[in-house]
Amino acid sequence: MKIRYFDHAATTCVREEVLNEMLPFLKEKCGNPSSLYSLGREAKRAIEEARKKVALLINCEPNEIYFTGGGSESDNMAIKGIAYANSNKGKHIITSKIEHPAVLHTCKKLERQGFRVTYLNVNKDGIIDLEELRRAIRNDTILISIMTVNNEIGTIEPIYEISRIAKMYNITLHSDSVQGVGHIPIDVKKMGIDMLSLSGHKLCAPKGIGALYIKNGIKIEKLIDGGHQERDKRAGTENVPGMVGLGKACEIARIELDRSMKYLKDLRDYYIDEIEKKIPNAIFNGSRNLRVAGNANFSFKGIDAQNLLLKLDEKGICASSGSACSSGDSSPSHVLKAIGLSDDMAKVALRISFGEENTKEDVDYLIENIIKAIRELS
Ligand SMILES: *Cc1c(COP(=O)(O)O)cnc(C)c1O
């Protein structure tokens, strides 16, 4: 059976051009970037080229990019890094209730270590309240961490306004932009972001590679001790193929972003229109306007999401009930609860995240099978 994949917010396949760029570094060009002979120097050159491409996509300097083992590590590195480096100045952190577990669980751990964390509410669209942010700031606030784009409902947070507030009070701003980079235009200088997390596998590079942007001048305590790699901020022999792949994926994203956003938005809007026309009691989750191009999230009253996903799986359709991170865990999504859904409505959500290889015919097939499955399950 043909697999139709509508879960690009969970992960993506590696693009052919990305794989081709990586292959030599998995095979003959296997030198350690720290080695002095030419094979090592070649690997070193390749990772510096990749660093430039990542930097270009988000408009920072190459020496502000630190490669990591993925989005979760970048979030940990940013938040713990700032917390441990500044605990003599203050121990208060502000974040939101709808962050990814990589941010939320990191903050929970810091709370157990004596830090204080404020978790901002969001409105029914999933957007934080700037006034509440302003009120939450204290003399000892050392970090604001607000995601760029939410992974479940696709809401885009007002980062420009958030950074203006952070600057006013001289507080470091981190943004988990794993769902943002490669999906919406990101310019860390214009947006006033001090630290930003991104991950390879959400933009057609491999899993297990990511990056953290750290604005020059910002000091963090490093998490992984060892050698002097990544300018002494993250020890360990470099994942050269991963870095090369991430660089290529960022280069492609930069060139194709406008076209890709339009393509995905058209698919998404078509899907949303059809669902609302054909399934009258479908409840739309998230913001209609401030939304990433590829995401659509509906709750289908009375239809258990796990059963719906199994029915769709029988038809070769991959979709999600929220986030892959909470699958196998039947507790309702913290994001959907934060936007005001009851436990019942949070358990019946279906997240569709479109990608480049999806066609309009695929979307028709998807809609047809959602309708069929709902009929069978009700
Ligand atoms: C996927 C994701 C992460 C985690 O990235 P990994 O590379 O899987 O560790 C963090 N934040 C958001 C918003 C994500 O969607």
Side-chain angles (χ1 to χ4, degrees), residues 9 70-73 75 100 102 147 149 151 176 178-179 199 201-202:
S72 300
E73 187 189 323
D75 287 340
H100 188 275
M147 69 200 322
V149 174
N151 45 305
D176 174 342
V178 172
Q179 299 285 344
S199 173
H201 73 103
K202 306 286 174 74

Side-chain angles (χ1 to χ4, degrees), residues 5-9 149-154 156 179 182-184 260-269 271-272 291-297 351-356 358 366:
Y5 188 76
F6 298 101
D7 204 11
H8 296 80
V149 174
N150 182 267
N151 45 305
E152 294 187 35
I153 53 175
I156 301 171
Q179 299 285 344
H183 302 277
I184 63 169
S260 160
M261 275 172 60
K262 173 158 189 348
Y263 180 71
L264 298 181
K265 180 177 179 301
D266 287 347
L267 285 184
R268 179 202 72 190
D269 289 345
Y271 169 79
I272 290 174
R291 186 181 203 93
V292 75
N295 173 296
N297 189 314
R351 178 189 70 184
I352 297 295
S353 45
F354 296 104
E356 286 289 315
N358 296 144
L366 169 67

